């Protein structure tokens, strides 16, 4: 398979994320619909946290089973650093952005006081969507590495199955990206949706290109750790939104639906033996 054909497969897998993005254009969704969309996004993202961490831990687990202590320690350390950077890094970044925004909105002698009294870090719907897209993008870069590695080593049937599985998975991830926008009644422009799709889906294409020439467990673990940390941070934020909605039964069922969607779209990947 030529390099251009491998790249095309990676592009197809990545840009199916656009299938779920148009739902973000919903106008003034009802409160129950907002809560439901938010909860489905939580379910999908909880599945992704599990999926990403499982893949990231696999090389370390295998090294432990084979008593390769050096490999196990280095793999575990890379995962821990990536996870901390993705989770704690976003917490600090969000706090800095919140204080900067408070400073811009406050003018005159009361500016310093207003900054001190600014509410604790709380992302807007647009900020949450961007964070989700970034976390999914890191995850998808690792998926692209798997596609590129499989195709480069001549495992064409596996590469094609990966394209199908990751393509289906990315379609549901697109929905997860825009769910915070729809749940807050914030209607993004088509250009904004295009940018979010590029951030979330584009790394699959980039990872495919890199994966043709680089097979490296450490790099994959690092990106998966970053992805898991950032996605976990967003889950925490969305859970706060769900609590404010005060629709516990609906939220519970929709989170379950999101989890089941994640497992269902991952079935093809599992069937491929990955």
């Amino acid at each position: 398979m030529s390099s251009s054909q491998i790249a095309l497969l990676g592009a197809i897998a990545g840009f199916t994320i656009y299938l779920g993005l148009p739902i973000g254009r919903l106008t003034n969704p009802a409160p129950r619909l907002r809560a439901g969309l938010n909860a489905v996004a939580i379910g999908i993202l909880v599945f992704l946290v599990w999926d990403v961490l499982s893949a990231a831990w696999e090389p370390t687990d295998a090294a432990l089973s084979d008593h390769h202590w050096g490999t196990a320690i280095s793999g575990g350390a890379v995962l821990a650093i990536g996870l901390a950077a993705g989770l704690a890094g976003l917490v600090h970044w969000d706090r800095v952005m919140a204080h900067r925004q408070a400073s811009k909105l406050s003018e005159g002698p009361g500016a310093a006081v207003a900054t001190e009294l600014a509410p604790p870090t709380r992302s807007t719907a647009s900020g949450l969507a961007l964070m989700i897209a970034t976390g999914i993008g890191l995850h998808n870069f690792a998926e692209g590495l798997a596609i590129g590695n499989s195709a480069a080593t001549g495992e064409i049937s596996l590469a094609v199955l990966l394209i199908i599985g990751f393509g289906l998975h990315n379609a549901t991830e697109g929905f997860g990206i825009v769910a915070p926008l729809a749940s807050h009644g914030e209607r993004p422009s088509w250009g904004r949706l295009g940018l979010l799709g590029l951030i979330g889906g584009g790394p699959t294409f980039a990872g495919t290109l890199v994966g043709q020439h680089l097979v490296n467990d450490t790099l994959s673990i690092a990106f998966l750790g970053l992805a898991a940390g950032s996605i976990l941070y967003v889950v925490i934020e969305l859970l706060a939104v769900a609590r404010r909605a005060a629709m516990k039964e609906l939220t519970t069922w929709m989170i379950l639906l999101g989890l089941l969607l994640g497992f269902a779209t991952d079935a093809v990947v599992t069937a491929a033996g990955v």
Side-chain angles (χ1 to χ4, degrees):
M1 180 175 285
S2 67
S3 296
S4 59
Q5 289 173 320
I6 296 173
L8 176 62
L9 290 177
I12 292 172
F15 288 95
T16 55
I17 202 167
Y18 283 103
L19 296 177
L21 291 177
I23 196 170
R25 294 277 297 171
L26 288 176
T27 305
N28 297 324
R32 288 183 64 84
L33 178 58
R34 294 181 184 182
L37 290 173
N38 185 75
V40 171
I42 292 172
I44 293 173
L45 294 173
V46 167
F47 168 80
L48 282 176
V49 170
W50 170 82
D51 189 37
V52 169
L53 287 177
S54 296
W57 180 250
E58 186 176 352
T60 301
D61 191 54
L64 288 170
S65 298
D66 296 334
H67 302 289
H68 296 159
W69 309 120
T71 302
I73 292 173
S74 62
V78 170
L79 176 57
I81 293 171
L83 190 60
L87 180 57
L90 281 178
V91 170
H92 292 292
W93 177 80
D94 194 21
R95 179 171 295 278
V96 169
M97 292 299 103
H99 281 288
R100 284 185 180 178
Q101 184 177 13
S103 298
K104 289 180 180 179
L105 293 176
S106 304
E107 297 180 6
V113 175
T115 300
E116 287 297 324
L117 297 179
T121 172
R122 176 169 167 251
S123 297
T124 63
S126 294
L128 277 176
L130 180 60
M131 290 178 189
I132 292 173
T134 301
I136 286 176
L138 291 170
H139 173 219
N140 285 345
F141 184 84
E143 290 184 345
L145 288 176
I147 294 172
N149 289 345
S150 299
T153 55
E155 299 177 11
I156 305 304
S157 60
L158 173 59
V160 172
L161 284 173
L162 288 173
I163 296 298
I164 297 171
F166 290 152
L168 290 172
H169 207 166
N170 281 346
T172 61
E173 289 172 348
F175 173 78
I177 289 173
V178 297
L181 299 174
S183 67
H184 284 75
E186 185 172 332
R187 195 165 185 256
S189 66
W190 287 110
R192 177 73 172 177
L193 292 181
L195 177 61
L196 290 173
L198 185 63
I199 293 171
T204 307
F205 174 67
T208 301
L209 296 179
V210 174
Q212 296 180 65
H213 309 288
L214 179 64
V215 180
N216 188 293
D217 281 344
T218 301
L219 179 65
S220 180
I221 291 172
F223 273 99
L224 289 172
L226 281 169
S230 57
I231 294 172
L232 183 57
Y233 171 78
V234 174
V235 168
I236 295 171
E237 292 287 295
L238 294 182
L239 284 171
V241 174
R243 183 172 294 276
R244 288 195 297 272
M247 298 182 184
K248 190 173 183 178
E249 291 185 3
L250 176 65
T251 297
T252 299
W253 283 107
M254 291 299 100
I255 288 176
L256 177 61
L257 175 60
L259 277 169
L260 294 178
L261 283 174
F263 278 106
T265 56
D266 197 50
V268 175
V269 178
T270 303
V274 180

